[in-house]
Amino acid sequence: MAAGADRPDDDVRASWAENVEGRDVGAGVSIIREYSDVVGAGPGLHRHPYRETFVILRGHARFTIGDEQRDGGPGDVLVAAPDTPHTFRVLGPGGYEAVHIHENDRFVTEWLE
């Protein structure tokens, strides 16, 4: 888990992310495990030269992937193709928790905003 970040109790407003680059553990993929209960939280618009897959464990978020918007919730799997601009925003109520799978052994991100 990120330094100084503890997994929050359900009644505490917080955000945390745990990042693992595959090259550090001998894997061909990198992982972000993310949690936030702050409505509107999410990354700026960005893209990667590889596919990113979002596996939503709980909560809801509105994803923009290319020109499309889609609301995702528990059990949904969304995919951003390589070089496709994407972002998401946490929707309420409750927290958003997901695993983001980057199909690369390290994170490569081009921030567009």
Side-chain angles (χ1 to χ4, degrees):
M1 198 169 316
D6 294 323
R7 186 180 173 123
D9 295 330
D10 286 344
D11 62 344
V12 176
R13 294 182 61 86
S15 296
W16 58 260
E18 180 178 14
N19 301 335
V20 177
E21 287 195 313
R23 65 183 175 179
D24 294 338
V25 295
V29 298
S30 297
I31 303 291
I32 298 174
R33 185 162 172 233
E34 185 157 359
Y35 172 85
S36 180
D37 66 358
V38 178
V39 173
L45 188 67
H46 64 284
R47 64 182 170 193
H48 313 284
Y50 48 79
R51 184 176 359 262
E52 182 175 5
T53 302
F54 305 90
V55 180
I56 302 172
L57 304 174
R58 71 179 180 136
H60 294 86
R62 177 162 296 138
F63 286 79
T64 301
I65 300 174
D67 294 331
E68 296 184 28
Q69 281 196 342
R70 178 173 171 199
D71 290 353
D76 286 340
V77 176
L78 293 88
V79 178
D83 297 312
T84 302
H86 58 279
T87 188
F88 67 89
R89 293 290 173 255
V90 173
L91 302 174
Y96 165 82
E97 187 173 357
V99 176
H100 304 178
I101 304 165
H102 291 238
E103 291 186 13
N104 201 39
D105 70 346
R106 64 187 176 92
F107 297 112
V108 178
T109 303
E110 178 185 359
W111 294 101
L112 303 173
E113 61 176 28

